[in-house]
């Protein structure tokens, strides 16, 4: 009895602690997670937030601004050129040889390029297929030296942050062997900069919004055709995707909010003495599966 009576105060104290702990736990659950007024900064956020959107899935019944489907499009006969087998083989070999010479070139000459050539190159890119034929692309061609320099300042400022903070160590290390960094001299020297914007939605003549299906895929295909068209006329470029520069460049170029920067291409002739990394491409067996 003496032992029990001596332990009773200890038992009561432990019981009180347990009860207090349970009450605090219940109160914390009722209040929900603690919110901090200071935003949490993620470590090395490399995703370009400007490109993220949910325009592929649109709940039209929740937004009366979206237009109804257009009327049926009339169809016409289509008879493309057809080549003999030997001609097809020769043309495929010649086109492969031409495209196999394409390289990413960062040393670009200021030598002028005929404007008509750039017009035709962009016309060619505009032949690209697109979801429901919405053609969700805008090609902004910058020739003005002052505007090009402003673009360079914006890109280099963000790219330095990308290399030092946003991009992972492995990414930066992988780029070192290609001798790339945040200095983009070609943005000043190239006679033209072509900034390719994807339109997340379009506008009908009535002022109502038009759905642009698969807009990023569609514009990416157009970029591929654009690269082929540039190679076809003997011009060079480097595919530049300036991370987190989209909003500033969109503002500088006075583009509407529904346009988001997808790619920036400096375009011109290669500079005298230009070099490129000595690289090899995967073989046909490495990239193809025949079933």
């Amino acid at each position: 009895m003496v032992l029990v009576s001596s332990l009773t105060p200890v038992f009561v104290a432990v019981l009180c602690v347990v009860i207090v702990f349970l009450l605090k736990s219940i109160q914390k659950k009722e209040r929900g997670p603690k919110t901090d007024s200071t935003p949490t900064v993620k470590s090395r956020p490399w995703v370009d937030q400007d490109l993220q959107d949910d325009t592929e899935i649109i709940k039209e019944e929740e937004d009366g601004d979206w237009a109804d489907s257009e009327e049926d499009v009339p169809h016409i006969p289509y008879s493309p050129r057809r080549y003999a087998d030997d001609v097809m083989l020769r043309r495929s070999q010649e086109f492969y040889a031409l495209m196999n010479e394409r390289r990413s070139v960062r040393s670009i000459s200021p030598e002028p390029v005929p404007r008509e050539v750039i017009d035709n190159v962009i016309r060619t890119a505009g032949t690209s297929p697109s979801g429901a034929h919405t053609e969700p692309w805008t090609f902004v061609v910058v020739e003005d030296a002052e505007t090009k320099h402003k673009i360079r300042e914006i890109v280099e400022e963000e790219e330095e942050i990308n290399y030092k903070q946003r991009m992972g160590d492995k990414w930066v290390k992988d780029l070192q062997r290609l001798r790339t960094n945040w200095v983009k001299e070609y943005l000043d020297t190239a006679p033209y900069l072509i900034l390719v914007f994807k339109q997340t939605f379009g506008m009908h003549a009535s002022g109502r919004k038009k759905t642009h299906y698969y807009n990023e895929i569609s514009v990416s295909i157009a970029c591929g055709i654009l690269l082929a068209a540039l190679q076809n006329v003997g011009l060079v470029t480097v595919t530049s995707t300036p991370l987190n520069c989209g909003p500033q460049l969109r503002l500088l170029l006075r583009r509407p909010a529904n346009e988001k920067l997808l790619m920036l291409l400096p375009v011109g002739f290669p500079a005298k003495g230009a070099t490129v990394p000595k690289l090899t491409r995967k073989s046909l067996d490495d990239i193809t599966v025949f079933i």
Side-chain angles (χ1 to χ4, degrees):
M1 293 296 293
V2 175
L3 179 61
V4 173
S5 61
S6 63
L7 289 176
T8 299
V10 177
F11 176 75
V12 172
V14 171
L15 183 60
C16 290
V17 170
V18 172
I19 292 173
V20 170
F21 176 78
L22 291 174
L23 288 174
K24 286 186 176 181
S25 298
I26 294 172
Q27 290 175 354
K28 181 181 286 188
K29 288 183 179 180
E30 290 177 350
R31 287 196 302 265
K34 182 180 179 180
T35 57
D36 190 352
S37 58
T38 304
T40 303
V41 179
K42 293 184 179 179
S43 174
R44 299 183 186 273
W46 64 269
V47 176
D48 194 335
Q49 299 296 327
D50 187 53
L51 283 177
Q52 293 184 321
D53 59 75
D54 57 357
T55 54
E56 304 299 354
I57 303 175
I58 299 172
K59 298 180 180 179
E60 298 188 13
E61 67 276 5
E62 295 181 3
D63 190 344
D65 292 337
W66 294 92
D68 296 329
S69 300
E70 297 178 355
E71 297 180 358
D72 289 341
V73 177
H75 283 54
I76 58 175
Y78 178 60
S79 300
R81 300 178 188 178
R82 180 161 180 171
Y83 304 99
D85 290 354
D86 60 330
V87 176
M88 279 198 298
L89 179 59
R90 175 177 57 80
R91 289 174 64 88
S92 66
Q93 291 172 334
E94 291 174 349
F95 189 70
Y96 164 68
L98 173 66
M99 295 308 300
N100 195 38
E101 294 174 356
R102 188 208 59 78
R103 297 300 300 271
S104 295
V105 179
R106 292 173 172 81
S107 298
I108 300 178
S109 169
E111 181 182 353
V113 174
R115 168 66 186 274
E116 295 81 2
V117 173
I118 300 300
D119 289 343
N120 287 331
V121 163
I122 293 178
R123 283 192 182 99
T124 304
T127 67
S128 175
S130 59
H133 192 59
T134 53
E135 302 176 288
W137 41 66
T138 301
F139 301 92
V140 178
V141 182
V142 179
E143 184 181 16
D144 177 68
E146 183 178 354
T147 305
K148 287 192 297 181
H149 188 67
K150 289 180 180 178
I151 290 174
R152 179 181 178 181
E153 290 179 331
I154 292 172
V155 171
E156 287 187 340
E157 181 180 358
E158 288 295 331
E159 281 287 83
E160 184 174 3
I161 298 173
N162 293 336
Y163 273 81
K164 292 183 177 180
Q165 298 180 24
R166 297 188 182 110
M167 294 157 57
D169 294 333
K170 184 178 184 304
W171 188 350
V172 174
K173 186 177 180 181
D174 287 343
L175 290 174
Q176 285 178 348
R177 68 188 184 95
L178 301 177
R179 303 177 189 175
T180 65
N181 53 41
W182 59 82
V183 179
K184 313 293 182 184
E185 184 179 355
Y186 52 74
L187 295 177
D188 271 326
T189 60
Y192 294 103
L193 302 181
I194 302 179
L195 292 89
V196 186
F197 287 82
K198 70 169 188 175
Q199 301 170 6
T200 56
F201 60 86
M203 299 296 293
H204 284 282
S206 63
R208 304 188 75 186
K209 295 178 183 177
K210 179 180 181 181
T211 307
H212 280 176
Y213 306 97
Y214 301 106
N215 52 74
E216 185 163 334
I217 295 176
S218 300
V219 180
S220 297
I221 296 172
C223 287
I225 295 178
L226 178 60
L227 293 176
L230 291 170
Q231 181 70 14
N232 183 57
V233 296
L235 297 175
V236 298
T237 187
V238 55
T239 51
S240 171
T241 52
L243 191 64
N244 292 312
C245 296
Q248 296 181 72
L249 294 178
R250 189 171 66 236
L251 182 63
L252 174 66
L253 300 174
R254 300 179 181 179
R255 302 311 308 158
N258 68 314
E259 293 187 0
K260 297 181 182 293
L261 180 64
L262 189 67
M263 189 168 292
L264 191 165
L265 301 173
V267 174
F269 296 106
K272 186 177 181 180
T275 62
V276 295
K278 186 178 180 180
L279 303 175
T280 58
R281 293 188 167 96
K282 293 181 178 180
S283 68
L284 181 64
D285 291 338
D286 289 332
I287 64 174
T288 309
V289 176
F290 282 98
I291 298 176

